């Protein structure tokens, strides 16, 4: 069935793909879609249909469609001044900036949420109109401290590694904590990348993020456990003589990222650490380096960071630091 052309010139869809139709018919549990009057509903449906072929994952498509619905509903209920925000560049920019203010001051949304809405709106104007990206700056985000393990969690992590009966898994846990490698870097290691002697050792990252090369001295505990794994335990594993990978799975293949992630999560569960990700030991490594008084340039080199600003976040105060500072203020007692 042919569709009409709304007054703003944007086409209405003649039919929606099945998954978009399902999205329209079955909104997410607990959410009631914002109602859209007249031609605004057709504009939204057209955009939702266009999202179906966009190179975005399903959650992003759903989020973009939901955020645009909110923006169109706000336009429909608001006097945005002169011009149509859906057809004029100047009116578009003013409307998007006003909507940003509305999200910030009326709906009390956080900066990250507001920027996510602005991203969806920019995608709409780029994908479904000829106007292009609106001239509306994103909000500055508050600097966030890294998700490092606190002192008690670190102790529990090390104890979980110590009592781990699998020498491969134990070495992996110590490697994450004492070398701060990304999980992809750990599984990419070959045995020759870990030269060890009685007194020292190195972890050589030949192609880290951004293809950066770096060398990390091995902590004594890490060196001891890597030596045990490489020279004693690993030799009995399938394909140990022919597969150069440092970490093998039970089939004699290189341990996958998922396999390594499962191992680290098992250690975290044993340590009683909640909200764990494989990146938290890396954050802990960086935080420990900086807070021990080491030069930030050295920390950046050991972490494999291209920018010092990335490393600088490990100097930011934690919530516990802030609370301690407040608690230390004088009282009249």
């Amino acid at each position: 069935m042919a569709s009409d052309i709304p007054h703003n010139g944007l086409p209405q869809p003649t039919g929606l793909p099945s998954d978009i139709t399902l999205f329209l018919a079955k909104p997410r549990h607990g959410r009631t879609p914002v109602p859209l009057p007249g031609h605004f509903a057709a504009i939204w449906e057209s955009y939702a249909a266009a999202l179906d072929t966009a190179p975005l994952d399903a959650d992003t498509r759903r989020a973009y469609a939901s955020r645009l619905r909110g923006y169109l509903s706000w336009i429909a209920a608001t006097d945005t001044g002169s011009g149509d925000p859906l057809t004029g560049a100047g009116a578009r920019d003013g409307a998007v900036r006003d909507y940003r203010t509305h999200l910030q001051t009326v709906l009390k949304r956080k900066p990250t949420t507001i920027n996510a809405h602005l991203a969806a709106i920019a995608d709409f104007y780029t994908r479904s109109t000829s106007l292009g990206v609106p001239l509306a700056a994103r909000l500055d985000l508050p600097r966030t401290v890294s998700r490092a393990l606190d002192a008690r969690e670190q102790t529990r992590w090390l104890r979980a590694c110590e009592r781990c009966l699998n020498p491969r898994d134990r070495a992996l846990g110590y490697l994450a904590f004492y070398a701060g490698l990304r999980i992809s870097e750990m599984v990419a290691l070959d045995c020759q990348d870990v030269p060890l002697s009685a007194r020292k050792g190195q972890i050589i990252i030949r192609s880290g993020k951004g293809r950066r090369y770096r060398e990390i001295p091995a902590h004594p505990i890490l060196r001891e456990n890597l030596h045990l794994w490489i020279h004693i335990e690993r030799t009995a594993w399938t394909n140990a003589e022919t597969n150069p990978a440092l970490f093998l799975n039970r089939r004699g293949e290189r341990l996958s990222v998922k396999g390594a992630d499962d191992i680290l999560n098992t250690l975290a569960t044993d340590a009683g650490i909640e909200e764990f990700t494989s990146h938290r030991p890396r954050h802990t490594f960086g935080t420990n380096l900086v807070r021990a008084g080491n030069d930030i340039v050295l920390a950046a080199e050991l972490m494999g960071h291209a920018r010092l600003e990335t490393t600088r976040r490990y100097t930011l105060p934690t919530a516990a630091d802030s609370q301690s500072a407040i608690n230390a203020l004088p009282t009249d007692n």
Side-chain angles (χ1 to χ4, degrees):
M1 181 175 67
S3 61
D4 297 329
I5 301 296
H7 77 276
N8 60 11
L10 293 172
Q12 299 185 41
T14 57
L16 292 173
S18 58
D19 61 339
I20 293 296
T21 302
L22 181 63
F23 173 74
L24 292 172
K26 297 181 179 181
R28 299 180 71 181
H29 180 69
R31 294 186 180 183
T32 301
V34 178
L36 293 173
H39 71 283
F40 288 105
I43 293 170
W44 181 84
E45 289 173 4
S46 178
Y47 175 66
L51 280 176
D52 187 56
T53 59
L56 303 169
D57 61 50
D59 287 340
T60 300
R61 291 198 297 269
R62 185 183 296 110
Y64 275 19
S66 176
R67 291 162 187 161
L68 180 69
R69 179 186 283 273
Y71 174 63
L72 292 176
S73 178
W74 176 82
I75 289 178
T78 304
D79 181 5
T80 58
S82 59
D84 185 347
L86 301 177
T87 58
R92 169 207 62 189
D93 296 342
V96 174
R97 288 193 289 266
D98 288 346
Y99 185 60
R100 179 187 62 195
T101 301
H102 173 75
L103 291 171
Q104 189 172 16
T105 61
V106 178
L107 299 184
K108 310 295 183 183
R109 298 291 187 256
K110 293 183 177 181
T112 51
T113 301
I114 295 172
N115 287 348
H117 280 264
L118 294 177
I121 293 169
D123 182 78
F124 160 71
Y125 276 111
T126 302
R127 192 179 304 280
S128 296
T129 79
S130 60
L131 297 178
V133 178
L135 298 179
R138 308 289 169 87
L139 297 181
D140 291 334
L141 299 178
R143 295 188 299 171
T144 56
V145 69
S146 68
R147 290 280 293 151
L149 302 174
D150 63 32
R152 292 182 178 181
E153 289 173 328
Q154 291 183 47
T155 298
R156 297 203 303 269
W157 175 267
L158 293 175
R159 288 176 178 172
C161 290
E162 184 178 2
R163 61 177 172 260
C164 179
L165 297 179
N166 188 319
R168 178 202 62 181
D169 298 358
R170 187 166 62 247
L172 192 72
Y174 282 131
L175 184 64
F177 184 87
Y178 283 121
L181 271 61
R182 302 174 179 92
I183 194 167
S184 59
E185 295 171 340
M186 289 191 283
V187 299
L189 288 172
D190 290 338
C191 290
Q192 66 177 8
D193 298 329
V194 189
L196 302 172
S197 68
R199 293 184 175 274
K200 60 183 180 180
Q202 279 189 327
I203 315 299
I204 302 173
I205 310 302
R206 301 190 183 278
S207 183
K209 188 175 182 180
R211 299 181 179 179
R212 284 185 291 277
Y213 175 98
R214 71 185 190 277
E215 298 178 358
I216 305 169
H219 186 279
I221 293 177
L222 174 58
R223 184 179 71 246
E224 176 184 342
N225 280 273
L226 285 173
H227 183 274
L228 173 64
W229 162 244
I230 296 171
H231 298 291
I232 299 176
E233 300 290 344
R234 182 185 179 279
T235 56
W237 283 50
T238 302
N239 295 336
E241 294 184 359
T242 57
N243 193 329
L246 174 62
F247 295 111
L248 302 173
N249 62 24
R250 291 298 181 182
R251 297 183 300 277
E253 302 165 342
R254 183 182 295 274
L255 185 67
S256 66
V257 168
K258 182 181 184 306
D261 186 68
D262 289 343
I263 291 168
L264 296 180
N265 275 279
T266 298
L267 288 170
T269 299
D270 183 40
I273 298 172
E274 299 179 354
E275 299 181 9
F276 180 82
T277 71
S278 60
H279 227 57
R280 289 195 68 187
R282 173 172 166 80
H283 288 321
T284 305
F285 175 75
T287 300
N288 286 343
L289 284 175
V290 172
R291 295 206 165 196
N294 292 293
D295 187 86
I296 195 170
V297 175
L298 172 62
E301 287 293 325
L302 293 173
M303 295 286 291
H305 288 156
R307 300 171 60 248
L308 285 181
E309 191 60 35
T310 304
T311 317
R312 206 177 304 279
R313 64 180 172 173
Y314 296 116
T315 67
L316 296 176
T318 64
D321 293 331
S322 299
Q323 187 64 59
S324 296
I326 295 298
N327 292 344
L329 294 174
T331 66
D332 61 353
N333 295 332

